[in-house]
Amino acid sequence: MRLVPSFRRLGSPVLVCLVVAVLAACGDGPDRPVADERAFVSITDVDPTIIVDARYYGDHNFIGSRIAGYEAPKCLLTRQAAAALARVQQELRPMDLTLKTYDCYRPQRAVDEFVAWAKDLGDVRMKAEFYPNVDKADLFRDGYIAAKSSHSRGSTVDLAIVALPAAESERYQEGEPLRACFLPAEQRFRDSALDFGTGFDCFDPLAHTANPAVGGTQRALRALLTEVMSEHGFANLAEEWWHFTLRQEPFADTYFDFPVR
C-alpha cells in the first residue's frame, strides 16, 4: 500500500504551502529578513551625497578615543532605514540642505565600552565639553548611558542638517581646551551643521528636542528635522534632538555586535 502520496497528487497549493513553511523555518522568507550583517548597507552606497561624520571612529566624542567596534568611518543602517533616510535627503537637497550623520548602527561591544567608561568615575577628560553640568556618577540615573541602545538594532541614526555648500568642520586636537556643548554656536566646537542649539552628544537638558529655552531659530531647525524625518517613518527621541529611530524597524528585538567595517 502506498502510504505517502506524491507532491503531484497533493496538488500545487499544498506544495506551495510546504515550500513557504520550509523557507520560514530557515529564517529567510519574505516576512523574516535575514538577521545578520547582510541586512545592512553603508548609507553612502545608497546616497553618496549624505555627509558622514563618524564621531565614534575618531576621538572627538564624550570618551575621547575611538570606540570598540568602529573599524571604518562609515554609517551602516538596515536597508529599510537607509532607504528611508535617502528619501529624507531627496526632500532636503532642493533646499540646498544635506543630512550629516554622526552615528548609525552601533555594535553592542561599543555600548559595553560606554557602560564600562561610565563606571570609571575618574575618567572625566571630556567632561568640559560633553557633560559639564552632569556628575558622571549620575549618567545611568539620568538616562545618558544604558546597557542597551536602539542603535545596535540598526535602524537608529544620529544626525543634523548642513547648509550647502558645506562649511569645513573644526578639527579636534587632543589636549586642546574644551568648550561646553551648550554654548552659543560661535563659542562651542565649530561643526559644519546648522545651529540646533547644542552640539552632538550634549548631555544636557538643552539638548531635549522641545526645550523652550532654545532660541527661535534653533527650535525651527529642530522642528524641520523632526518633521521631515517623521514624514519618512522616523520617530525622534525627546531627550536628543539628533536621535531618530525607524518606526517599522525590521529588527526590533535584535542587538547586533558585528563591527562597523
Side-chain angles (χ1 to χ4, degrees), residues 46-98:
V46 177
D47 189 330
T49 67
I50 294 176
I51 299 171
V52 175
D53 180 359
R55 288 292 185 90
Y56 299 144
Y57 178 76
D59 53 7
H60 185 222
N61 54 61
F62 63 86
I63 289 183
S65 60
R66 183 183 298 183
I67 307 303
Y70 287 84
E71 299 178 2
K74 291 184 175 182
C75 165
L76 301 184
L77 290 169
T78 61
R79 295 180 184 277
Q80 295 87 338
L85 198 63
R87 290 192 289 271
V88 175
Q89 178 76 341
Q90 290 168 10
E91 189 165 338
L92 292 175
R93 289 284 291 183
M95 295 184 279
D96 289 329
L97 301 173
T98 182

Side-chain angles (χ1 to χ4, degrees), residues 50-51 75 77 85 88-89 92 98-104 151 156-162 193 196 200 225-226 228-229 234 236 240-245:
I50 294 176
I51 299 171
C75 165
L77 290 169
L85 198 63
V88 175
Q89 178 76 341
L92 292 175
T98 182
L99 292 172
K100 171 178 177 174
T101 68
Y102 298 108
D103 192 38
C104 302
H151 282 276
T156 292
V157 58
D158 294 336
L159 78 176
I161 297 174
V162 174
F196 283 82
F200 165 65
L225 181 59
T226 300
V228 71
M229 291 291 286
F234 291 91
N236 174 244
E240 298 176 351
W241 60 259
W242 55 81
H243 179 116
F244 294 85
T245 299

Side-chain angles (χ1 to χ4, degrees), residues 106-219:
R106 181 183 304 166
Q108 181 60 44
R109 69 192 73 180
V111 179
D112 295 342
E113 182 174 348
F114 291 172
V115 171
W117 167 84
K119 293 178 179 178
D120 180 5
L121 300 183
D123 183 356
V124 291
R125 55 184 154 158
M126 302 300 285
K127 177 178 173 62
E129 179 173 353
F130 292 95
Y131 54 107
N133 291 336
V134 179
D135 191 319
K136 191 175 182 183
D138 296 332
L139 290 178
F140 286 106
R141 184 200 69 184
D142 294 345
Y144 293 114
I145 301 293
K148 293 289 185 180
S149 169
S150 62
H151 282 276
S152 300
R153 303 196 298 262
S155 295
T156 292
V157 58
D158 294 336
L159 78 176
I161 297 174
V162 174
L164 295 173
E168 185 175 356
S169 293
E170 180 179 355
R171 293 183 179 274
Y172 169 73
Q173 299 294 328
E174 185 177 0
E176 68 182 10
L178 298 175
R179 292 156 283 167
C181 57
F182 52 71
L183 289 173
E186 63 273 13
Q187 297 178 33
R188 64 178 184 262
F189 183 85
R190 294 189 301 278
D191 193 338
S192 62
L194 293 170
D195 180 12
F196 283 82
T198 75
F200 165 65
D201 258 0
C202 189
F203 296 176
D204 190 88
L206 202 63
H208 294 186
T209 307
N211 191 324
V214 175
T217 300
Q218 291 77 26
R219 287 200 305 273

